[in-house]
Amino acid sequence: MDVTKKEEEFNLREIIKPYTKRWYWFFGSVILTTILAILYIKFTTPVYKIQSSVLIKDAKKMSSASGDFGVLAGLGGFAGMGTNSIENELEIFKSKRIIEDVTKNLKLQVSIYSREKYHDVELYNDTNPFIVHVVNEKQFEELPKKPIDVKIQGDKITLSSEELKKDVITTFNKTISLPYANFIIQKNPKFNRKKVKKLDLNDFYFTYSDFASVVDDYQKALEVDLMDKDATVIGLGIAHSNKDKSKDILNNLVDIYNEYAIKDKNTESKKTKDFIDERIVLISKELGEVESDKERFKVDNDIVDIQTEAKINLQTSNETRRKSLEIETQIEVSRMLLGFIDSSSNQVLPTNIGLDNPTATSNITAYNKLIMDRNRLLENATTENPLVKEVTKDISGLKNAMRESIQRYLINLNATKNQINRENNYSNTEIQKVPRQEKLFRNIERQQQIKENLYLLLLQKREEAAISMAMTDNKARVVDHAYVLKKPVAPKKMISVLGAWILGLLIPFGFIYIKELLNNKLISKHDLEKRTSTPILSEIPRLYRKDGEIITKNDVSPLAESFRILVTNLNFMLSKKSEAKIIFVTSTIKGEGKTFVSVNLSLALASSTKRVLVIGSDIRNPQLQRYNPAMKNTKGLSEYLYEEIDSPKEIIHPSNFHPNCDFIYSGVIPPNPTDLLQNGRYSLLLDSLKNDYDYIILDTAPLMLVTDSFLISEVADATVYVTRSEITEKGFIDFANKNIETKKIKNVAFVLNDVHKSNFGYGNKYGYGYQAEEKKWWQKIF
């Protein structure tokens, strides 16, 4: 598989690994944000939603006595003027004018607070020990931005603020002049200490805002909307920390709305009444003329009010016939009931048969109750039982009483029937006397009726308008008075905690994501494997303060084990030959650990039978001397290449770490290192030492910075290319790959140095060496 394909591989484990290995970041972040959310909930003043609903009466559906223009709906010029648009009513509730009146009524310009343990509490109405009245505002003065602290000691009141030059000392019921307004502070006679017994009420302050600002604030806070699109019920809502104050605002809002509606209706009713009065004068004159014509016609024809008399007689006839039928029905029902009473023997009588006799009906009910009582007694006793005999006696007596009552009722019905028949005969006789002149009279009477009906209608409407002015009903009927929802709308506990958890997860996630996104350094062995097909010999663990930098004899530390793995894998790359095997140790830039790897590799290779030599070949920036500071000024490779020293043995020094491990230090830093490395003395040095050592390790200069290492790379049997976790940039591997492909360095393998234990390919779980026991679960966590 080539490098490009390796880079394109999708490895879910590698994607989530940066997050899982830092799980404690997420845990700590969630704990912290949860604590902050709890503190936010605890120290934030709760805000409650207060709602109310009102039904707006539709003018089309209101009675004609409402006083609206609907009373003249029959007159063409006024058609449609009485209709209401519910959208208009919504805008009225939202209007600035109605909010201004609410603000004036409830005196909302001043808000009084008590500083409590967790958050400030607004005091209102009977929860407030004192009242602050605004006498008048001072125009064009700068309003306060800070609250005014109030300290009360008996009758002494001290007002203080950061914006006041000095404290103001006053008493109750005295005018207080502040730069922006005049106030009076009074004791609240309605104050109820039991209602706020949980509050300390020791530290007070109040805030003041100009009238226009308060109106704007409440206008924005007020929510007005239809409860249903097909209804005329309007929902009112407001979110506020003080429940009582919000209730008063909504209830007062409805009251003022009704006051406006009543005022508007009365104005309309007065205009209607004035118009009707003008019409009555005109119609009255015309009606008088028509009645004069009628009078002359009756006098000339010697007739009376035919239509009225005929109508009365017809009504009387119809009424008498109806009463006669009703009485006949009552007579028949009474006879049927009387027959049932005579024929029945201790049986329940029928009820609700249409008998219009309360006495008989109550007797039947009592009789039926006695019958049912007797039947229940007979279930457990005989007819000889004294109780049964007593009930039977009562039944017999009540039965006789009902019979006599119904008989008297029949006598009265027959008498009434005869009287009604006489009245009916009289009415029929009177109807037959109506003269035939009615046809002649109809023309005059029709004109009279038209004028009279219109005149009466106008009189009726005038009275209705007058009544409406005196008794106008509310336009908005309260469906639900202002009430408070149980749960506060802010802060929402569950949403706050859930948001804190999400934020607690997002913060470390975002930090890690950005860090990984911007990271261009090698971190783990997998990052190196993705970018090269060259083998990787070993991972060198990161050293901590307590760890030694040099491996020792019989060392079983992770560092020693990692270099033993390096040696094992390196031997597979080296050819089998009798003379010394030359190992080229290099890197891309300085600081990646070439010298560290060279020294420890030499100690890992050295044994009682194997001799190792380390040559400090980086003569520009010598680092080998730092492992033996006493040899800092010792002559070394530079002096040999400059031919100042002829014998290699003069520059070979024991490492002091292992008896079979020697060092050749870099020596003095020359002005022309490139020329020295090209003069042939370096190859001569190696040839002279090949038979004395089994391994020769060349600690060289970085490849990217200088060309020194390329000049001597041909002598190497194997090249150990050192990279360092979190130091080596990923782009440097492309540089290494190009040098390997062009064979500027040969037989190359990588070593990843300074790897954090959480980024090891295998050692993170099991450790190096057989002595390393697998960790317990709590050890893995901490």
Side-chain angles (χ1 to χ4, degrees):
M1 183 183 293
D2 58 24
V3 177
T4 304
K5 289 184 178 179
K6 283 189 175 184
E7 290 179 351
E8 292 177 353
E9 272 189 343
F10 178 77
N11 190 329
L12 180 61
R13 182 176 178 277
E14 290 301 314
I15 291 176
I16 66 174
K17 184 177 180 181
Y19 305 97
T20 55
K21 74 180 182 181
R22 297 181 179 91
W23 62 269
Y24 48 88
W25 287 19
F26 292 91
F27 180 77
S29 179
V30 169
I31 293 297
L32 178 61
T33 53
T34 302
I35 292 173
L36 292 176
I38 293 173
L39 293 176
Y40 166 74
I41 294 170
K42 197 71 175 176
F43 289 95
T44 300
T45 303
V47 176
Y48 295 90
K49 182 67 175 292
I50 292 83
Q51 292 181 333
S52 176
S53 58
V54 293
L55 172 66
I56 305 301
K57 299 174 184 178
D58 191 346
K60 290 182 178 181
K61 298 178 182 178
M62 294 173 69
S63 67
S64 59
S66 65
D68 291 342
F69 277 107
V71 300
L72 298 177
L75 303 179
F78 293 90
M81 292 187 66
T83 60
N84 277 336
S85 170
I86 193 65
E87 288 78 12
N88 292 343
E89 308 309 316
L90 293 176
E91 294 303 320
I92 291 174
F93 274 110
K94 297 177 185 177
S95 66
K96 191 179 293 294
R97 179 186 171 191
I98 196 169
I99 303 297
E100 287 176 350
D101 288 346
V102 172
T103 304
K104 290 177 182 177
N105 289 348
L106 301 180
K107 299 177 175 61
L108 301 178
Q109 282 184 261
V110 176
S111 298
I112 303 173
Y113 297 87
S114 172
R115 293 186 176 96
E116 299 297 327
K117 182 177 180 181
Y118 295 110
H119 53 76
D120 297 346
V121 177
E122 182 176 359
L123 306 176
Y124 175 77
N125 203 1
D126 57 353
T127 64
N128 188 11
F130 59 91
I131 304 172
V132 179
H133 297 284
V134 180
V135 178
N136 63 287
E137 297 181 10
K138 297 181 181 179
Q139 295 184 353
F140 312 114
E141 296 292 338
E142 186 177 357
L143 295 173
K145 298 178 181 178
K146 302 289 184 179
I148 297 95
D149 293 330
V150 180
K151 187 176 181 180
I152 300 176
Q153 295 175 327
D155 289 336
K156 179 183 176 182
I157 302 174
T158 303
L159 303 182
S160 59
S161 173
E162 296 178 10
E163 297 175 339
L164 296 176
K165 296 180 180 179
K166 62 179 182 178
D167 294 348
V168 177
I169 300 175
T170 183
T171 59
F172 289 105
N173 304 320
K174 185 177 180 181
T175 302
I176 305 166
S177 179
L178 294 181
Y180 31 80
N182 292 326
F183 301 93
I184 292 179
I185 299 179
Q186 294 178 330
K187 291 182 179 180
N188 187 3
K190 298 180 180 179
F191 175 59
N192 186 357
R193 188 65 177 87
K194 293 182 179 179
K195 195 171 182 179
V196 286
K197 59 184 179 181
K198 294 183 179 180
L199 302 182
D200 295 334
L201 299 182
N202 293 325
D203 189 0
F204 302 100
Y205 70 90
F206 72 87
T207 60
Y208 167 78
S209 299
D210 66 299
F211 186 78
S213 298
V214 174
V215 171
D216 289 340
D217 291 341
Y218 282 106
Q219 189 178 20
K220 293 175 183 177
L222 183 65
E223 299 175 8
V224 182
D225 201 359
L226 283 176
M227 301 290 285
D228 189 287
K229 64 179 181 179
D230 297 324
T232 59
V233 178
I234 294 177
L236 306 175
I238 191 171
H240 200 273
S241 59
N242 192 290
K243 302 176 185 177
D244 294 338
K245 187 175 187 178
S246 301
K247 287 181 181 179
D248 286 352
I249 289 173
L250 294 186
N251 291 332
N252 195 251
L253 187 71
V254 176
D255 294 340
I256 293 175
Y257 172 85
N258 282 326
E259 289 178 8
Y260 288 172
I262 290 172
K263 184 177 180 181
D264 291 343
K265 289 177 183 178
N266 287 341
T267 302
E268 294 174 358
S269 298
K270 186 176 184 305
K271 291 180 179 179
T272 303
K273 184 175 178 296
D274 293 341
F275 169 78
I276 292 173
D277 287 340
E278 294 177 2
R279 296 297 301 168
I280 284 176
V281 173
L282 180 61
I283 298 300
S284 178
K285 182 178 179 181
E286 294 177 355
L287 180 60
E289 293 175 356
V290 173
E291 288 182 342
S292 297
D293 293 340
K294 181 180 178 181
E295 181 183 3
R296 283 193 297 270
F297 180 83
K298 287 184 177 182
V299 170
D300 293 343
N301 292 278
D302 194 19
I303 61 174
V304 293
D305 189 358
I306 302 171
Q307 186 175 4
T308 303
E309 292 181 359
K311 184 177 180 181
I312 292 173
N313 290 327
L314 285 172
Q315 289 178 348
T316 303
S317 178
N318 290 335
E319 184 67 19
T320 53
R321 282 198 298 271
R322 183 184 63 78
K323 289 181 179 180
S324 178
L325 289 175
E326 290 178 356
I327 290 173
E328 287 287 348
T329 301
Q330 290 294 315
I331 291 172
E332 188 63 29
V333 170
S334 299
R335 288 174 179 173
M336 289 174 58
L337 182 60
L338 188 62
F340 192 84
I341 291 172
D342 293 335
S343 62
S344 64
S345 177
N346 295 330
Q347 294 182 3
V348 176
L349 297 179
T351 58
N352 297 327
I353 57 176
L355 185 66
D356 189 13
N357 189 339
T359 303
T361 302
S362 62
N363 289 336
I364 291 171
T365 302
Y367 177 81
N368 289 340
K369 183 178 183 305
L370 290 174
I371 292 295
M372 288 186 286
D373 291 343
R374 183 178 182 275
N375 291 338
R376 280 195 298 271
L377 291 172
L378 288 174
E379 290 178 356
N380 299 310
T382 64
T383 56
E384 298 302 322
N385 186 286
L387 292 176
V388 175
K389 287 182 177 182
E390 182 67 24
V391 173
T392 302
K393 182 179 178 181
D394 293 341
I395 290 172
S396 178
L398 186 58
K399 189 174 183 180
N400 292 331
M402 285 192 298
R403 185 183 294 108
E404 292 177 1
S405 176
I406 293 172
Q407 288 174 348
R408 286 195 301 271
Y409 184 56
L410 281 172
I411 293 171
N412 293 334
L413 288 175
N414 287 323
T416 303
K417 178 183 175 183
N418 294 333
Q419 183 180 355
I420 290 173
N421 288 336
R422 288 193 296 270
E423 291 178 359
N424 189 31
N425 293 333
Y426 176 79
S427 298
N428 291 334
T429 302
E430 291 298 321
I431 290 172
Q432 293 174 359
K433 294 180 181 180
V434 176
R436 297 176 60 88
Q437 290 93 345
E438 186 177 0
K439 291 183 180 180
L440 301 174
F441 189 67
R442 281 183 180 175
N443 186 30
I444 297 173
E445 193 175 45
R446 186 180 298 111
Q447 294 296 324
Q448 181 193 16
Q449 288 177 346
I450 292 173
K451 302 296 183 180
E452 189 177 52
N453 288 339
L454 183 56
Y455 181 78
L456 292 175
L457 176 63
L458 291 174
L459 288 177
Q460 178 185 352
K461 298 307 178 184
R462 183 176 66 177
E463 291 302 316
E464 289 173 355
I467 292 172
S468 176
M469 292 174 64
M471 300 176 61
T472 304
D473 193 14
N474 290 335
K475 187 174 184 179
R477 181 168 65 85
V478 178
V479 178
D480 286 321
H481 289 282
Y483 62 94
V484 184
L485 299 185
K486 291 184 178 180
K487 295 183 179 180
V489 295
K492 295 184 177 180
K493 297 180 180 178
M494 293 305 298
I495 294 178
S496 298
V497 173
L498 181 61
W501 290 350
I502 294 173
L503 184 63
L505 294 174
L506 287 178
I507 290 174
F509 177 84
F511 182 79
I512 295 171
Y513 176 78
I514 294 173
K515 182 179 178 182
E516 292 296 318
L517 187 66
L518 300 178
N519 177 44
N520 63 343
K521 307 291 179 63
L522 295 177
I523 302 297
S524 66
K525 178 181 177 182
H526 299 287
D527 294 334
L528 189 55
E529 287 176 338
K530 291 177 183 178
R531 287 164 177 80
T532 183
S533 57
T534 303
I536 301 170
L537 295 177
S538 178
E539 296 173 275
I540 309 300
R542 180 170 295 176
L543 299 179
Y544 299 94
R545 291 182 179 180
K546 64 179 181 179
D547 299 326
E549 191 175 350
I550 301 298
I551 63 176
T552 59
K553 187 178 181 180
N554 299 324
D555 194 347
V556 292
S557 66
L559 178 65
E561 292 293 345
S562 66
F563 274 101
R564 291 189 186 105
I565 292 173
L566 173 59
V567 168
T568 301
N569 292 332
L570 182 61
N571 283 329
F572 286 105
M573 298 176 59
L574 296 171
S575 60
K576 303 294 182 182
K577 61 180 183 178
S578 58
E579 58 186 14
K581 302 174 183 65
I582 299 175
I583 302 171
F584 196 77
V585 181
T586 189
S587 68
T588 307
I589 59 173
K590 67 177 183 178
E592 293 179 301
K594 297 182 302 299
T595 305
F596 168 76
V597 171
S598 299
V599 171
N600 283 288
L601 177 60
S602 67
L603 297 175
L605 288 170
S607 66
S608 58
T609 59
K610 302 290 184 180
R611 299 192 67 204
V612 182
L613 175 65
V614 180
I615 302 177
S617 301
D618 186 359
I619 58 179
R620 292 178 184 264
N621 184 23
Q623 293 295 321
L624 192 58
Q625 289 91 329
R626 65 187 174 89
Y627 289 95
N628 195 349
M631 307 298 291
K632 183 176 182 181
N633 298 320
T634 301
K635 294 182 178 180
L637 181 60
S638 296
E639 286 78 5
Y640 179 82
L641 296 179
Y642 193 65
E643 298 182 5
E644 183 179 332
I645 296 175
D646 293 330
S647 174
K649 292 183 179 181
E650 295 182 24
I651 60 174
I652 296 174
H653 304 279
S655 64
N656 295 331
F657 300 119
H658 195 283
N660 284 341
C661 180
D662 297 329
F663 289 170
I664 294 178
Y665 297 100
S666 301
V668 68
I669 300 175
N672 56 344
T674 303
D675 294 337
L676 291 179
L677 291 172
Q678 286 180 320
N679 63 10
R681 294 275 292 175
Y682 195 88
S683 298
L684 182 62
L685 175 64
L686 294 177
D687 290 339
S688 64
L689 298 173
K690 282 182 180 181
N691 294 323
D692 297 333
Y693 293 94
D694 296 289
Y695 298 95
I696 298 176
I697 299 175
L698 308 181
D699 179 23
T700 65
L703 296 179
M704 182 177 280
L705 303 179
V706 293
T707 61
D708 297 1
S709 298
F710 289 115
L711 300 176
I712 59 175
S713 61
E714 293 181 354
V715 301
D717 294 315
T719 301
V720 176
Y721 203 109
V722 179
T723 58
R724 187 172 181 179
S725 177
E726 300 179 17
I727 296 296
T728 303
E729 296 184 9
K730 296 174 182 178
F732 292 171
I733 306 304
D734 294 333
F735 170 79
N737 289 333
K738 290 178 182 178
N739 289 324
I740 294 170
E741 291 172 4
T742 57
K743 298 183 179 180
K744 291 183 179 180
I745 49 179
K746 59 183 181 179
N747 200 15
V748 182
F750 285 98
V751 170
L752 184 59
N753 182 30
D754 196 27
V755 181
H756 190 274
K757 60 182 179 180
S758 63
N759 295 318
F760 266 106
Y762 305 102
N764 186 35
K765 182 174 181 181
Y766 296 103
Y768 282 99
Y770 291 108
Q771 88 291 347
E773 297 179 0
E774 185 174 357
K775 296 179 180 179
K776 304 296 184 182
W777 64 270
W778 63 84
Q779 292 174 326
K780 291 179 181 178
I781 292 177
F782 295 104

